[in-house]
């Protein structure tokens, strides 16, 4: 370095992974020899060790029940810590046993102080053995990774079960049934027939009926006569064209799985 000149030196400070969080004082000393003299000068350098940016991952709900042959889903929640800013790539480790998973958004972007989520669909087949399984969900970003466990309880499907809670919106050629699914599998309504006290019958074979989730209640509209152009009629001509007050009718509903449920309705 020339007399009266300046020079620059770059000092790199690296904190170990197990370094304690806090502030440290570092004394940097420069030494040189001028003639017969040893000259030195020192400077104080203050260094602050901050926590490494990190993230967490968990499933909500962390435990789900899946009927064999059907699907269920949960949410994977990710949240940043210590100013984390980056993308987290998710992967799942699935136990053998005819269980599959399908994720939503991946990777998931996190900015400092935010929380984000994506969906995880768990599917089974009719060959999946009922029992409890653990699915491991791992989030990775660079050298940082964290995992959580999703508990999956696979159960046998129970027989379809429908109950009639009530009848509303009664009109001469249609009415609305309030139906409840008491089973553990979705029920799709596919056809219905309405029979009067004389045995005359209206049938709708290709009914776009509702699908009832387990434990849910749904309205189902039953139409006859002029309100149902695609219905077929079997009986005495023109005898049963409308619902008659105080008369009793039998309504038989058939599901997509060919289960039949018959309800007595007094109009």
């Amino acid at each position: 370095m020339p007399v009266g000149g300046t020079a620059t030196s770059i000092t790199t400070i690296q904190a170990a992974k197990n370094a304690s969080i806090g502030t440290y004082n570092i004394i940097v000393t420069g030494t040189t020899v001028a003639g017969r003299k040893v000259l030195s000068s020192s400077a104080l350098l203050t260094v602050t060790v901050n926590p490494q940016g990190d993230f967490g991952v968990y499933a909500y709900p962390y435990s789900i029940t899946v009927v064999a042959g059907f699907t269920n889903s949960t949410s994977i929640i990710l949240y940043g810590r210590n100013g984390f800013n980056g993308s987290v790539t998710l992967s799942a480790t699935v136990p053998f046993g005819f269980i599959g998973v399908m994720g939503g958004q991946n990777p998931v972007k996190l900015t400092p102080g935010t929380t984000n989520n994506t969906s995880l669909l768990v599917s089974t087949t009719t060959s999946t053995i009922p029992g409890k399984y653990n699915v491991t969900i791992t989030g990775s970003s660079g050298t940082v990774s964290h995992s959580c466990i999703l508990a999956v309880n696979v159960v046998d499907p129970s027989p379809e079960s429908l109950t009639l809670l009530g009848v509303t919106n009664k009109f001469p050629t249609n009415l609305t049934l309030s139906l409840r699914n008491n089973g553990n599998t979705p029920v799709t309504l596919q056809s219905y027939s309405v029979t009067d006290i004389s045995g005359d019958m209206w049938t709708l074979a290709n009914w776009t009926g509702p699908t009832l989730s387990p434990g849910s209640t749904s309205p189902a509209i039953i139409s006859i006569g002029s309100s149902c152009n695609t219905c077929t009629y079997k009986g005495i001509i023109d005898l049963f064209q409308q619902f008659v007050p105080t008369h009793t009718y039998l309504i038989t509903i058939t599901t997509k799985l060919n289960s039949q449920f018959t309800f007595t309705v007094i109009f």
Side-chain angles (χ1 to χ4, degrees):
M1 182 177 65
V3 176
T6 60
T8 301
S9 176
I10 298 175
T11 301
T12 301
I13 300 174
Q14 182 176 355
K17 289 185 177 181
N18 60 349
S20 298
I21 307 303
T23 300
Y24 298 85
N25 292 326
I26 299 175
I27 298 176
V28 180
T29 302
T31 303
T32 185
V33 176
R36 296 182 179 182
K37 294 182 178 181
V38 177
L39 304 176
S40 66
S41 180
S42 299
L44 178 64
L45 177 63
T46 301
V47 177
T48 301
V49 178
N50 293 318
Q52 182 181 17
D54 201 358
F55 64 90
V57 56
Y58 66 94
Y60 183 81
Y62 63 87
S63 178
I64 61 174
T65 297
V66 185
V67 178
F70 293 85
T71 63
N72 200 354
S73 63
T74 189
S75 294
I76 306 302
I77 313 296
L78 296 105
Y79 57 95
R81 296 184 294 210
N82 304 328
F84 180 85
N85 187 10
S87 295
V88 179
T89 300
L90 295 170
S91 60
T93 302
V94 183
F96 176 77
F98 300 100
I99 294 179
V101 297
M102 181 180 297
Q105 174 189 357
N106 193 18
V108 179
K109 175 69 176 177
L110 286 177
T111 55
T114 64
T115 299
N116 207 344
N117 68 86
T118 187
S119 61
L120 183 70
L121 182 70
V122 179
S123 61
T124 62
T125 71
T126 54
S127 299
T128 306
I129 298 174
K132 295 183 178 180
Y133 301 85
N134 286 334
V135 175
T136 302
I137 298 97
T138 301
S140 301
S141 180
T143 60
V144 181
S145 66
H146 295 287
S147 299
C148 67
I149 298 295
L150 171 65
V152 178
N153 184 27
V154 179
V155 298
D156 274 327
S158 61
E160 292 183 318
S161 175
L162 282 181
T163 56
L164 176 63
L165 299 184
V167 182
T168 59
N169 298 331
K170 296 180 180 179
F171 298 100
T173 55
N174 62 70
L175 51 80
T176 301
L177 305 180
S178 178
L179 299 175
R180 179 173 178 80
N181 179 2
N182 296 313
N184 66 2
T185 60
V187 174
T188 299
L189 309 185
Q190 185 166 270
S191 66
Y192 67 78
S193 64
V194 183
T195 307
D196 67 2
I197 56 178
S198 300
D200 306 300
M201 180 188 298
W202 285 100
T203 301
L204 180 58
N206 297 311
W207 182 29
T208 308
T211 296
L212 287 76
S213 301
S216 69
T217 301
S218 176
I221 299 176
I222 304 296
S223 300
I224 63 170
S226 60
S227 293
C228 185
N229 295 329
T230 55
C231 285
T232 58
Y233 178 71
K234 180 180 180 182
I236 300 175
I237 297 176
D238 296 332
L239 182 62
F240 175 28
Q241 298 300 313
Q242 295 184 347
F243 292 114
V244 179
T246 73
H247 281 213
T248 300
Y249 302 90
L250 295 180
I251 299 178
T252 300
I253 292 176
T254 303
T255 71
K256 189 176 182 180
L257 298 181
N258 291 319
S259 300
Q260 286 192 337
F261 300 92
T262 299
F263 306 110
T264 301
V265 174
I266 300 177
F267 195 83

